[in-house]
């Protein structure tokens, strides 16, 4: 058995994948409230994160170049899925966008990323002496700029909503949004900006930051339970 399947890095990646996927399942199948658009955007985003980290785990131990290439592209294409849905999630608090055009755009970028060598030419399997790597395509810089623009708008929107929120709403979203901003910022720095300068040694930081994202998503669930309980108690005691 390949020792990298269950080494420390693999355990962290598996744990993050499971946690994000459990949050996704809860958001999809929770029947305690209507399945709102905001909840739908967040659920798809957590699914995208799960696919990204699952792909990273498979790449960590696989010795097959074709498999590593496929899942390296999957990691990048699922990032597009996540960013589009987080963009829609954050904008739903402040703007009224039609989600369909953005989803169509996201699907097109997803297909282009997954099934062409424009963003990722090939994945490099890990060896005894070095970690898995990526040979970037000619369109990687443009792809990075696109994701960076979405990420900056996403962070700006989250911060704007947080600053303008007051009272109970601010209490509900402050920790959630702070965790999202932190995890997205880490991904931008270590998985987007630095690789464009040939620095790939810290990609794991962005991968591990998905734990923070999962905690933020889980806090959405906790907040829902807390305020649902308060609502029930207030009606019982009224």
């Amino acid at each position: 058995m390949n020792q990298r399947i269950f080494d420390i890095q693999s355990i962290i990646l598996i744990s993050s994948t499971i946690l994000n996927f459990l949050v996704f399942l809860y958001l999809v199948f929770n029947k305690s409230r209507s399945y709102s658009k905001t909840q739908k955007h967040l659920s798809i985003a957590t699914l995208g994160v799960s696919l990204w980290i699952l792909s990273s785990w498979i790449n960590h131990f696989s010795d097959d170049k074709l498999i590593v290439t496929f899942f390296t592209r999957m990691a990048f294409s699922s990032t597009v899925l996540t960013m589009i849905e987080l963009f829609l999630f954050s904008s739903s608090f402040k703007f009224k966008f039609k989600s369909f055009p953005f989803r169509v755009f996201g699907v097109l970028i997803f297909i282009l990323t997954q099934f062409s060598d424009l963003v990722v030419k090939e994945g490099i399997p890990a060896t005894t002496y070095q970690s898995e790597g990526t040979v970037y395509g000619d369109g990687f810089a443009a792809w990075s700029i696109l994701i960076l623009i979405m990420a900056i708008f996403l962070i700006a929107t989250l911060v704007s909503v947080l600053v303008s929120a007051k009272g109970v709403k601010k209490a509900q979203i402050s920790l959630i949004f702070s965790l999202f901003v932190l995890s997205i910022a880490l991904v931008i720095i270590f998985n987007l900006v630095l690789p464009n300068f040939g620095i790939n040694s810290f990609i794991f930081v962005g991968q591990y930051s998905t734990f923070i994202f999962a905690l933020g998503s889980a806090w959405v669930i906790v907040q829902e339970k807390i305020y649902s309980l308060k609502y029930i108690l207030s009606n019982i005691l009224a």
Side-chain angles (χ1 to χ4, degrees):
M1 179 184 292
N2 191 320
Q3 294 182 349
R4 292 191 299 273
I5 295 179
F6 296 112
D7 62 9
I8 296 299
Q9 183 173 346
S10 286
I11 292 173
I12 294 174
L13 294 175
I14 293 170
S15 301
S16 180
T17 300
I18 293 172
L19 181 56
N20 276 284
F21 190 68
L22 288 176
V23 172
F24 162 74
L25 291 177
Y26 180 88
L27 290 171
V28 170
F29 295 107
N30 173 36
K31 302 300 182 182
S32 63
R33 59 182 293 184
S34 61
Y35 190 44
S36 66
K37 288 185 177 180
T38 300
Q39 194 173 349
K40 183 177 182 179
H41 296 321
L42 186 57
S43 66
I44 299 175
T46 56
L47 176 62
V49 172
S50 299
L51 289 174
W52 170 31
I53 301 305
L54 177 63
S55 300
S56 299
W57 173 55
I58 294 173
N59 285 343
H60 182 60
F61 68 80
S62 177
D63 297 321
D64 188 298
K65 191 172 183 179
L66 290 177
I67 291 177
V68 172
T69 297
F70 176 84
F71 281 104
T72 298
R73 290 175 178 172
M74 178 64 72
F76 281 78
S77 56
S78 60
T79 300
V80 175
L81 172 69
T82 299
M83 292 305 300
I84 289 290
E85 292 301 328
L86 282 179
F87 171 83
L88 293 171
F89 168 78
S90 63
S91 63
S92 66
F93 288 90
K94 201 172 182 67
F95 308 104
K96 291 184 178 180
F97 288 142
K98 293 286 186 180
S99 60
F100 181 74
F102 289 95
R103 286 215 171 100
V104 171
F105 175 74
V107 169
L108 291 175
I109 300 299
F110 179 94
I111 293 172
L112 187 65
T113 304
Q114 182 65 44
F115 300 105
S116 77
D117 62 358
L118 191 62
V119 178
V120 175
K121 282 189 176 180
E122 60 182 11
I124 304 172
T127 66
T128 306
Y129 306 102
Q130 67 178 21
S131 299
E132 61 277 11
T134 303
V135 178
Y136 298 107
D138 296 333
F140 177 67
W143 183 90
S144 298
I145 292 172
L146 173 63
I147 299 299
L148 182 60
I149 290 172
M150 285 195 292
I152 291 173
F153 183 85
L154 169 58
I155 291 176
T157 304
L158 289 173
V159 171
S160 175
V161 172
L162 181 58
V163 170
S164 61
K166 295 181 180 179
V168 174
K169 183 179 179 182
K170 189 164 189 174
Q172 284 180 295
I173 67 176
S174 57
L175 179 59
I176 299 166
F177 279 21
S178 298
L179 291 173
F180 283 171
V181 168
L182 177 59
S183 61
I184 293 165
L186 290 173
V187 171
I188 290 173
I189 294 170
F190 294 104
N191 293 71
L192 201 62
V193 176
L194 293 184
N196 274 286
F197 294 96
I199 304 173
N200 299 295
S201 303
F202 302 101
I203 287 179
F204 70 91
V205 177
Q207 295 171 343
Y208 294 173
S209 73
T210 56
F211 258 120
I212 302 174
F213 177 82
L215 290 174
S217 301
W219 188 243
V220 172
I221 296 171
V222 173
Q223 286 290 315
E224 179 187 46
K225 292 298 184 184
I226 290 174
Y227 284 92
S228 294
L229 180 60
K230 286 183 178 179
Y231 176 80
I232 293 171
L233 289 175
S234 65
N235 280 275
I236 292 175
L237 299 175

